[in-house]
């Protein structure tokens, strides 16, 4: 449970009631068809409504009054909150739902200003935020700035995350230009992915600031601190709709005229993310299940009627779950109360809600099945979302990226194709497109006896506008970056997939454990992504290697990872860090020294014997095949590893003679320049052996 609201002894904080605004509407359609019938803030993540995570965090930071702005599905939002603990006498804050006809965040802010509800500085947060970050320092810094200048009207709370993070927005690269002395944001820009990183910074900004930080490594987690004057700015600019593209951009543009400033507070600990895309939904769910957002984990049992217990491998089960003896539920899964799993069924990395009935010999992988859904015998569900009360018949196949909405019935033997959105409702044509009506069932989509039809998005959907901004050429679930089929394939993973395509099986990463089952390989790939991302972020932020090692060990214990998985994650993380430094202008030699020398302990901890050294070098070589200057990097890495006694002649020679290191022409090419180092170290090793033999003879 969240703690009671706290009060400090400082005069300013004692006078002011800490207020917060929750923007309950999403104002776009990335979660269609689900948001036709329910607001995004009430969609469940790890079997708990999103708005619960947001309210829990607000309570933990001492908020005393909360206003929930809702313009769509307001009755549902109000009903849910009125029946929740947040409106009880024991709630740590008072809560009021503000009804609105807003169609954008800008409309909601102007509505708040007109109603005069905000008495002082307040927190503005979306109803899809999951965070456990500390907040006292951010609030104190904001209030201190406001005391000095009334023109400091806003503070954006940002989470440091490195260049690669799976919860970061894939539509836009958000670039913040910051004055490091004052933490003032002096320029903000969104750059399209896969385009030139050039920013259009005004000349006067560069003239007026001696030093600037250009940050693209920040997660914009949708948490802001506003002053009442900021609401007035929204009201004065009736055409502003979006907080960043309109409000922040507009205030910065008008700085010379009005002198108002926007500041940042960058948090480097804790967890914070917005569930604003399907990719983010998948990534954040996995983070919650893997306990990165602790204490917001299923077994905390935040809701009064929850009874989750944590079992080995991050498996969570509520009371009343019925598992057939021959069924299998793997790690990183959640099973809600009164759910039953039939004989021979296999559940892998999936979230299953309450009162679900899963038939016999069903296979569910990386899927989300919400409350009261039914799945027939011999059905396969792969990386899909099945909403409440939906029914999937026997011998069906629900393919990657499918979204099956509330109450949809799929008849026996039907295949739901990839990236298909099936619903029973659609928007009415006309001006008021928030009104929905039931559509006509299409037997070609759901089968004879089924109920539902395929949802084809209109061109005026907000999600399409977002995709156009990102430069998408074909507007479907896959190309806009929001498709579930894109859940597990970020830019980084695409690089890995590309690197494996031209290589033979014996030259790939998986060849080192080629006898693994498909499920084991998927588990190893999942651990590799998470571990290598964590190490890379630590290297990029120049964290203490002991801290990075501690996080890696925690991941290893959680996932029961093997030694070779650790070596692979470390090798790839260093390869990525070196490539990152080269892209920043360093030479290959400089990049290798910068990345490896301060962090030797990470490598030494996982490569002790010759066989381990050879395996580490093989992982590194395989990853460098597709990296810029890969052959030069491998040469300098081998030289540094040998010079610092992280590998010896035997390890180098064992790697060099391993047939997997020459399995393809690409692998041969990337290691060619390293031959002199191997020859030299092998020669020194032979000389040492000769000296030892002579010593023994004496």
């Amino acid at each position: 449970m969240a703690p009671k609201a706290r009060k400090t002894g400082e005069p300013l904080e004692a006078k002011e009631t800490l207020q917060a605004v929750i923007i309950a509407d999403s104002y776009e359609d990335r979660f269609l068809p689900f948001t036709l019938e329910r607001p995004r803030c009430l969609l469940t993540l790890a079997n708990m409504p999103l708005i619960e995570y947001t309210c829990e965090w607000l309570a933990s930071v001492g908020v005393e009054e909360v206003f929930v702005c809702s313009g769509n599905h307001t009755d549902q939002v109000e009903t849910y909150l009125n029946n929740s603990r947040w409106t009880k006498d024991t709630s740590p804050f008072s809560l009021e739902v503000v009804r609105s006809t807003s169609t954008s965040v800008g409309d909601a802010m102007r509505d708040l200003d007109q109603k005069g509800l905000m008495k002082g500085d307040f927190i503005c947060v979306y109803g899809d935020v999951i965070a456990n970050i500390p907040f006292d320092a951010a609030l104190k810094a904001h209030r201190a700035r406001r005391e000095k200048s009334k023109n400091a009207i806003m503070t954006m709370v940002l989470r440091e995350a490195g260049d690669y993070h799976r919860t970061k927005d894939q539509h836009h690269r958000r670039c913040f230009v910051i004055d490091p002395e004052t933490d003032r944001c002096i320029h903000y820009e969104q750059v399209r992915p896969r385009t030139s990183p050039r920013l259009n910074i005004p000349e006067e900004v560069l003239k007026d600031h001696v030093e600037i930080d250009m940050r693209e490594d920040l997660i914009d987690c949708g948490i802001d601190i506003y002053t009442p004057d900021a609401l007035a700015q929204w009201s004065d600019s009736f055409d502003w709709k979006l907080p960043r593209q309109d409000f922040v951009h507009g205030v910065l543009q008008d700085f010379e005229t009005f002198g108002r400033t926007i500041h940042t507070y960058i948090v480097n600990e804790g967890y914070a993310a917005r569930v604003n895309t399907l990719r983010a939904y998948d990534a954040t769910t996995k983070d919650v299940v893997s306990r990165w957002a602790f204490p917001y984990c299923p077994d905390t049992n935040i809701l009064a009627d929850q009874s989750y217990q944590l079992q080995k491998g991050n498996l969570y089960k509520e009371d009343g779950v019925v598992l057939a003896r021959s069924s299998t539920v793997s790690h990183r899964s959640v099973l809600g109360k009164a759910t039953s799993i039939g004989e021979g069924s296999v559940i892998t990395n999936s979230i299953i809600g309450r009162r679900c009935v899963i038939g016999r010999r069903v296979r569910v992988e990386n899927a989300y099945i919400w409350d009261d859904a039914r799945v027939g015998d011999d059905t396969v569900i792969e990386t899909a979302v099945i909403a409440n009360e939906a029914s999937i018949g026997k011998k069906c196949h629900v393919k990657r990226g499918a979204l099956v909405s509330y109450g949809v019935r799929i008849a026996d033997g039907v295949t739901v194709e990839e990236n298909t959105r099936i619903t029973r409702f659609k928007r009415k044509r006309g001006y008021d497109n928030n009104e929905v009506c039931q559509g006509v069932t299409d037997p070609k989509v759901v089968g004879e006896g089924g109920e539902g039809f395929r949802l084809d998005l209109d061109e005026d959907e907000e999600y399409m506008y977002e995709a156009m901004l990102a430069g998408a050429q074909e507007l479907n679930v896959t190309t806009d970056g929001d498709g579930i089929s894109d859940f597990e394939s970020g830019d980084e993973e695409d690089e890995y997939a590309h690197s494996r395509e031209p290589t033979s099986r014996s030259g790939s990463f998986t060849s080192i454990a080629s006898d693994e089952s498909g499920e084991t390989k998927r588990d190893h790939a999942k651990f590799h992504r998470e571990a290598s991302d964590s190490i890379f972020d630590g290297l990029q932020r120049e964290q203490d290697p002991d801290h990075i090692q501690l996080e890696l060990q925690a991941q290893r214990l959680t996932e029961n990872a093997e030694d070779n998985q650790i070596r692979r994650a470390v090798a790839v993380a260093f390869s990525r860090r070196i490539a990152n430094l080269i892209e920043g202008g360093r030479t290959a030699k400089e990049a290798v020294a910068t990345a490896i020398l301060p962090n030797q302990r990470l490598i030494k901890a996982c490569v002790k014997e010759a066989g381990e050294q050879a395996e580490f070098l093989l992982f590194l070589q395989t990853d460098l095949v597709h990296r810029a200057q890969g052959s030069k990097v491998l040469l300098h890495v081998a030289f540094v590893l040998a010079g610092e006694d992280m590998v010896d002649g035997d390890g180098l020679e064992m790697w060099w003679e391993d047939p997997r290191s020459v399995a393809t022409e690409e692998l041969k090419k990337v290691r060619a320049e390293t031959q002199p180092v191997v020859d030299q170290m092998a020669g020194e090793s032979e000389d040492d052996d000769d000296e030892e033999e002579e010593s023994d003879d004496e």
Side-chain angles (χ1 to χ4, degrees):
M1 293 293 291
K4 290 283 186 178
R6 297 166 291 158
K7 294 182 179 180
T8 69
E10 296 183 17
L12 181 60
E13 294 185 345
K15 290 178 183 176
E16 292 188 9
T17 298
L18 184 55
Q19 298 175 298
V21 171
I22 298 176
I23 305 296
D25 279 339
S26 58
Y27 302 112
E28 36 81 0
D29 296 311
R30 290 172 178 163
F31 280 79
L32 282 177
F34 307 125
T35 49
L36 285 175
E37 301 177 59
R38 295 191 185 183
R40 183 195 294 174
C41 66
L42 293 186
L43 301 184
T44 58
L45 185 144
N47 291 345
M48 187 167 77
L50 283 168
I51 199 168
E52 288 287 348
Y53 294 96
T54 306
C55 288
E56 189 71 22
W57 179 74
L58 290 176
S60 73
V61 301
V63 169
E64 298 167 272
E65 291 183 3
V66 173
F67 298 93
V68 180
C69 292
S70 178
N72 192 22
H73 301 300
T74 304
D75 289 339
Q76 291 186 43
V77 174
E78 196 165 35
T79 299
Y80 178 84
L81 291 173
N82 285 341
N83 292 323
S84 74
R85 67 191 188 282
W86 304 115
T87 53
K88 308 300 182 187
D89 293 338
T90 55
S91 173
F93 50 66
S94 64
L95 185 144
E96 178 182 341
V97 176
V98 180
R99 288 179 170 265
S100 172
T101 58
S102 58
T103 58
S104 69
V105 175
D107 288 344
M109 302 304 273
R110 285 183 281 273
D111 217 15
L112 281 173
D113 188 40
Q114 186 177 11
K115 289 179 167 63
L117 297 172
M118 312 319 294
K119 304 169 187 174
D121 296 352
F122 63 95
I123 302 169
C124 184
V125 63
Y126 288 92
D128 54 20
V129 167
I130 297 179
N132 62 9
I133 57 174
F135 198 71
D136 288 346
L139 189 60
K140 187 176 294 185
H142 170 84
R143 287 174 166 171
R145 280 192 294 267
R146 191 201 63 183
E147 284 296 299
K148 292 179 180 178
S149 172
K150 298 299 181 183
N151 283 331
I153 63 172
M154 178 187 182
T155 298
M156 299 181 287
V157 180
L158 308 170
R159 174 65 169 91
E160 194 172 48
D163 288 341
Y164 301 93
H165 197 281
R166 62 186 181 184
T167 64
K168 289 181 73 173
D169 190 347
Q170 300 299 311
H171 281 290
H172 307 102
R173 295 161 60 187
R174 300 174 183 267
C175 303
F176 297 86
V177 181
I178 301 168
D179 184 331
E181 290 189 6
T182 62
D183 294 326
R184 182 183 148 210
C185 180
I186 54 180
H187 182 72
Y188 171 78
E189 193 170 337
Q190 292 187 359
V191 181
R192 295 180 182 181
R194 296 176 294 277
T195 61
S196 170
R198 179 178 297 176
L199 301 179
N200 297 314
I201 303 176
E203 186 178 348
E204 58 270 18
V205 169
L206 299 176
K207 287 181 178 179
D208 295 343
H209 298 272
V210 177
E211 183 181 356
I212 60 173
D213 286 344
M214 290 182 285
R215 304 292 298 268
E216 195 198 343
D217 61 332
L218 304 173
I219 293 178
D220 188 354
C221 44
I223 301 173
D224 298 323
I225 309 173
Y226 281 106
T227 66
D229 188 43
L231 288 179
Q233 304 310 307
W234 279 105
S235 295
D236 290 343
S237 303
F238 63 90
D239 57 339
W240 286 357
K241 296 181 178 181
L242 304 172
R244 298 293 182 257
Q245 294 95 316
D246 294 331
F247 182 81
V248 171
H249 179 75
V251 171
L252 296 182
Q253 197 172 38
D254 294 339
F255 171 74
E256 295 296 332
T257 305
F258 300 108
R260 296 184 181 91
T261 60
I262 293 175
H263 296 261
T264 62
Y265 187 87
I266 299 173
V267 180
N268 56 17
E269 59 179 315
Y271 185 88
R274 272 198 71 194
V275 185
N276 57 352
T277 65
L278 288 168
R279 172 193 284 271
Y281 178 86
D282 177 71
T284 308
T285 301
K286 287 175 168 53
D287 288 343
V288 168
V289 171
S290 298
R291 312 184 72 78
W292 290 108
F294 186 85
Y296 308 128
C297 308
D299 62 314
T300 307
N301 294 315
I302 292 173
L303 300 182
D305 64 341
Q306 289 182 326
S307 58
Y308 285 102
Q309 293 185 3
L310 173 63
Q311 299 182 5
K312 183 179 178 181
N314 289 334
L315 170 62
Y316 303 84
K317 290 199 305 184
E318 269 198 293
D319 295 341
V321 172
V322 178
L323 299 178
R325 182 169 297 181
S326 60
S327 64
T328 302
V329 181
S330 78
H331 45 283
R332 293 190 297 276
S333 295
V334 180
L335 302 180
K337 186 179 296 182
T339 282
S340 63
I341 311 293
E343 294 283 349
S345 293
V346 178
I347 312 297
T348 305
N349 296 331
S350 298
I351 311 296
I352 299 181
R354 291 180 165 182
R355 300 175 299 278
C356 294
V357 178
I358 309 299
R360 295 172 294 178
R361 299 175 299 279
V362 172
R363 179 165 64 87
V364 179
E365 287 187 21
N366 302 308
Y368 301 89
I369 301 177
W370 296 346
D371 294 349
D372 300 300
R374 303 179 69 88
V375 180
D377 298 345
D378 301 299
T379 286
V380 176
I381 300 176
E382 301 175 293
T383 318
V385 180
I386 312 297
N388 302 54
E389 300 176 353
S391 175
I392 311 297
K394 299 178 180 179
K395 297 183 178 180
C396 292
H397 188 180
V398 182
K399 295 187 177 181
R400 293 175 59 87
L403 307 179
V404 180
S405 195
Y406 304 99
V408 167
R409 289 202 315 271
I410 306 296
D412 293 348
V414 171
T415 295
V416 179
E417 296 298 336
E418 292 186 356
N419 305 321
T420 302
R421 304 188 184 208
I422 302 179
T423 180
R424 296 185 303 150
F425 290 89
K426 63 180 180 180
R427 282 202 179 100
K428 285 186 176 180
R429 298 287 180 179
Y431 179 75
D432 184 8
N433 64 357
N434 283 330
E435 192 174 352
V436 299
C437 61
Q438 191 157 356
V440 178
T441 292
D442 185 354
K444 294 180 180 178
V445 175
V446 297
E448 294 295 336
E451 183 179 4
F453 60 93
R454 178 172 182 153
L455 181 67
D456 295 318
L457 300 180
D458 294 334
E459 290 188 358
D460 60 352
E461 303 286 14
E462 177 69 18
Y463 119 94
M464 183 178 216
Y465 171 68
E466 292 287 334
M468 288 174 65
L469 287 178
Q473 299 299 317
E474 296 180 12
L475 300 178
N476 56 42
V477 182
T478 303
T479 57
D480 73 353
D482 287 343
I484 301 182
S485 61
D486 199 33
F487 272 176
E488 300 181 40
S489 58
D491 294 339
E492 174 206 339
E493 186 171 351
D494 289 341
E495 290 178 1
Y496 293 147
H498 177 73
S499 72
R500 288 194 293 268
E501 286 172 3
T503 62
S504 68
R505 187 171 185 267
S506 62
S508 68
F509 281 137
T510 55
S511 67
I512 296 176
S514 58
D515 58 342
E516 295 171 347
S517 67
E519 180 180 344
T520 301
K521 288 179 181 177
R522 286 189 292 272
D523 290 345
H524 284 191
K526 174 69 163 47
F527 170 80
H528 174 72
R529 286 194 300 272
E530 294 180 350
S532 60
D533 281 351
S534 176
I535 300 166
F536 174 75
D537 286 346
L539 293 174
Q540 192 173 46
R541 294 201 299 265
E542 298 182 356
Q543 290 181 342
D544 187 288
D546 290 337
H547 178 75
I548 301 174
Q549 182 69 22
L550 188 63
E551 287 193 1
L552 181 60
Q553 288 302 320
Q555 288 177 291
R556 175 179 185 166
L557 292 173
T558 300
E559 304 298 337
N560 195 25
E562 299 173 357
D563 290 345
N564 68 323
Q565 293 176 262
I566 300 297
R567 281 188 285 278
R568 178 189 172 193
V570 172
V572 172
F574 273 96
S575 176
R576 289 171 57 191
R577 175 56 176 156
I578 292 166
N580 177 255
L581 289 167
I582 291 174
E583 289 174 4
R586 304 284 184 92
T587 66
K589 183 178 180 181
E590 292 170 344
V592 168
T594 301
I596 292 180
L597 292 178
N599 300 289
Q600 297 181 42
R601 294 197 295 275
L602 286 174
I603 299 176
K604 289 180 177 178
C606 64
V607 292
K608 295 182 174 66
E609 299 179 356
E612 297 170 350
Q613 297 167 11
E615 188 177 53
F616 179 83
L617 288 165
L618 184 60
F619 283 134
L620 192 65
Q621 176 194 7
T622 308
D623 190 74
L624 288 172
V625 164
H626 69 285
R627 302 284 184 190
Q629 302 184 45
S631 59
K632 289 187 180 298
V633 169
L634 187 59
L635 167 64
H636 292 296
V637 168
F639 185 80
V640 170
L641 294 181
E644 297 298 328
D645 294 328
M646 285 178 270
V647 300
D648 56 28
D650 291 340
L652 277 168
E653 193 171 7
M654 189 177 295
W655 161 59
W656 198 259
E657 293 177 353
D658 192 318
R660 292 173 295 182
S661 69
V662 290
T664 67
E665 290 302 317
E666 290 83 3
L667 288 168
K668 292 178 183 177
K669 184 177 178 180
V670 80
R671 79 170 201 167
E673 294 188 38
T674 313
Q675 176 89 54
V677 179
V678 177
D679 292 342
Q680 180 182 351
M681 289 298 297
E684 291 178 0
S685 179
E686 291 174 2
D687 292 341
D688 291 341
D689 292 341
D690 292 340
E691 289 176 8
E692 288 177 6
E693 290 177 4
E694 291 175 6
S695 176
D696 291 340
D697 292 339
E698 292 176 357

